[in-house]
Amino acid sequence: MATASGPNLAKIKTRPGPATHIRNGEYSAASRALALGSYFISGCMAINASQFLGAPLYLINEDWYNAWIAFTKQSWGLLTTSMTQCWAPTVVRVSGHKSVRGELLKTTEGNLLSNFPERLILIANHQIYTDWLYLWWIGYTNGMHGRIYVVLKESLRRIPVIGWGMQFSQFIFLKRNWEKDKDRLAAHLQKLNSNTLAPMWLMLFPEGTNLHPVTRKSSKKWADKNKIPDMQHQLLPRSKGLQFCIQQLRKTVPYVYDCTIAYEGVPKGQYASEIFTIQAAYFGGKPPKSVNMYWRRFDVWSIPVDNDRDFDNWLRARWIEKDQLLESYQETGRFPADTGVDELPDGRKRRGAGYIETEIKPNKWYEYLQIFAPVGLLALVLYMFYGGLPKRFMRDIGKSVAQEPQAHGPENLEELINSTPRIVEVDSTNASAVGGPDGIAVTAEPPSGAKKAIKKLPPRQKGVRKVPIKAKPQVGQPVRAHPKPKKIEVNTPTGSNPPKLKTKPATTTITTATTTSSASKPSAAAAATKPDATEAPRKLEVRNPTDPSKRKPGAKPPLKSTVGPKRSSPPKLEKRANALPKLGVRSKPDQAVKAGEKEPVASTVADKENRPPPKKLGIKPKPDTVPIPAAGKGR
């Protein structure tokens, strides 16, 4: 195809009127900024996460890796397109030269359909910061939004999140120093040139930066220095980078496509970069009223890339034509459009596109879901395999907390009991059933750690109370005298068994003598700590003030003892009795006996074995529990 010539300004129509105004929206700037920032940041992070997930593919197969990165770049194109549709809606008016006849089409829904080749070099004038977003949308209409490579400034790669995505997308960053950029650019182009079948759009702006009052002065200064005509609506192009790219890719890229961009609503003498900033367009809801594009195509073989001076003149001539197009747009509000018809050898006809107006939007509303699809799929897989993990973790913690007291269970209860202060349980209702004629048996109070383990033991029998005993004195420690015992009165009816006694918890102590078995004798150290034989032991008296002969006629015998409140049931007495130390206590023969009292009887293991089983409490005495006689009145 022949090289495209300059525009025919005679065919430019008069300006029909202003473009349709796009409503800015009803939300405030703060709410728009919050919504846009949340969507943009979440989308960028999702794209970055997808790129990180696909990074190991580079070690397996480079083609697979490139295909995955192309998928993530498609997500980037959908992200910017959906952002523009929601927060900066605008109309795109596209027309072209006859060199692109048949490549700009309009669908039945009124959308733009581009039919550009899969490998090309795309150049354009740089008006505002978002030029490349609109050009990326052109790639979306061509199905090439995942195969675009952009040449950018070095400083852009340092932007968090966005810069990381650009590096994964294999963008080319230049420092604007040809001596440093040449080798880096050659390495990138070599990769793009290695696979001639891989689709590739290389996008670059020969001006190097966007049009601005500061850059405009620099461009004019350069034109005056080199004695070349200056531009009015754009900057002078730089030819080195573009020439090098065409030289490296001319064997695999057949065409160079040129796009001239203009924005409606820019007064003459002002700059679009100062009016349509990112803040004004996306956060303020004031985007351009319309984005106008004029397309041309040039054959690579017709471009003089082997001669620096000729290529510089060729590129400057194309930029002069673009400047004339921009001047005509300022006057008419539109670029020229091709409406001609070509007949192909096979009989088909190829028509010019004319003007195609459409909005920047995806073809389907649900396409934006592709942005979050990889991360969502990963989350779904993790939930399928590890979804119940938090619940199981909390359930295991609950089980461990519930089982923690069982570390001190019945199996080591004897060790816990031996390490705690000893107490005496007294049952004044059935002394023979509790381990002695005086109703005294030795037990222990477990520590707090074993209380839950003992809860499963049988309940405490009624009429049994706990009386603390002082610990055994150490060797050489004097034995202190004990206070007198308290008397407990119990009403007992005549001719019947006495009721079960509920004694009041007392703080009295009972002194016990050092026990010795029949097989062994106490040592000298134990004898030193033995209490004085002349000291009277503690006594537990039970009186019966309600004698049947003294009761009034018709009075009922008391059924409950009035001594002390009702006590809770004891834990499993049998198992606790098994864990007690085996003790034997003999009564002192030389101890004085008061008048009217029975002499205390010494309790031995043999006596306990010959004792009949209990009748009322239903507790079978254990052979390994040795009763301890206590001072008091026997029945």
Side-chain angles (χ1 to χ4, degrees), residues 75 100 133 170 190 193 204 207 251 264 270 302 316 335 347 443 466 499 503 511-512 621 627 630:
S75 301
V100 294
L133 293 181
Q170 302 174 357
Q190 182 64 29
N193 210 20
L204 69 159
E207 294 170 292
K251 294 182 179 180
E264 182 180 356
Q270 297 186 17
S302 63
R316 194 181 309 115
F335 288 125
T443 182
K466 297 180 181 179
T503 60
T511 305
T512 60

Side-chain angles (χ1 to χ4, degrees), residues 6 13 22 159 192 218 300 332:
K13 298 181 181 180
I22 304 299
I159 301 176
L192 297 179
S218 300
V300 169
T332 62

Side-chain angles (χ1 to χ4, degrees), residues 160-180:
V161 182
I162 300 176
W164 305 337
M166 291 179 178
Q167 295 180 52
F168 270 112
S169 300
Q170 302 174 357
F171 287 178
I172 303 173
F173 299 94
L174 301 179
K175 296 181 179 180
R176 295 184 178 180
N177 188 330
W178 181 244
E179 298 299 329
K180 297 180 180 180

